[in-house]
Amino acid sequence: PPPNPRPASQSQPAAAMAAMAAAGTTPDPPAAAAAGGGGVRGNELFVSIGRPPALFMRVAQAILREHEEVRVYALEAAIINAVDTAFMLQRRRVADIASVATDQLRDPHRGPKARMRILLRRTDDYVRHLAREAAAAAAYD
C-alpha cells in the first residue's frame, strides 16, 4: 500500500481545532467538519470518538445560535460522546433533550452498527443569553 501522507500525530486542521479547544474559543462549524473529528451539515452534528465531548458541545452551541434545534448523530463507540455532549448542553441550560432514538445500520461488509440520534432544542435561557449578547454588541458599535 502507498505510504500515508499524514503523520500518525495530528493533521493540520486537527491541530488547529486542538488549539481552538485549548484557547476556549467556539469553533466555526465548517472548521470542525474539516478537522476530521466529526462533521456538521446544516443543523446536524456527527460525533466521533476521536475528539472530546467538549469540542462537540461548543460546535453544537454554535449551531444553536442559528437554528432552533440540532440533531446529534453517533455510531458505535461514539455514542458515549454524543450522550456526554447532550448532557453538557443540558447542564449549561443551552439545550433540552427533545428525543432520543436508536437503531442499527446494516453494513454488508462489517455487520450491524449501533446508531443513536439525539434531538436537542435550545432553551429560553439560551435565547435570552443570545439576545443580551446581541444588545451588548449593538451598544458597543
Side-chain angles (χ1 to χ4, degrees):
N4 187 355
R6 290 188 180 173
S9 61
Q10 290 184 329
S11 65
Q12 287 178 343
M17 289 301 295
M20 288 174 71
T25 58
T26 304
D28 184 36
V40 177
R41 184 175 61 208
N43 69 331
E44 297 177 334
L45 174 61
F46 299 90
V47 175
S48 72
I49 194 69
R51 303 277 180 252
L55 175 78
F56 295 113
M57 180 204 60
R58 287 191 297 273
V59 173
Q61 211 168 343
I63 292 169
L64 287 168
R65 286 180 174 276
E66 304 296 323
H67 300 277
E68 282 288 318
E69 58 190 32
V70 61
R71 292 179 183 93
V72 180
Y73 293 94
L75 294 175
E76 296 287 319
I79 289 173
I80 298 264
N81 277 357
V83 170
D84 285 348
T85 299
F87 281 137
M88 287 161 68
L89 290 164
Q90 191 173 16
R91 279 195 306 268
R92 291 175 184 235
R93 296 185 184 140
V94 171
D96 288 325
I97 298 172
S99 68
V100 177
T102 59
D103 62 353
Q104 278 194 334
L105 293 178
R106 303 278 180 209
D107 186 346
H109 303 291
R110 297 183 184 172
K113 290 185 173 188
R115 177 173 61 174
M116 178 174 271
R117 293 170 289 181
I118 303 172
L119 178 63
L120 300 167
R121 288 204 178 98
R122 67 181 173 191
T123 62
D124 292 336
D125 287 345
Y126 189 57
V127 171
R128 283 192 293 274
H129 169 73
L130 293 175
R132 282 192 306 268
E133 261 187 8
Y140 182 73
D141 290 336

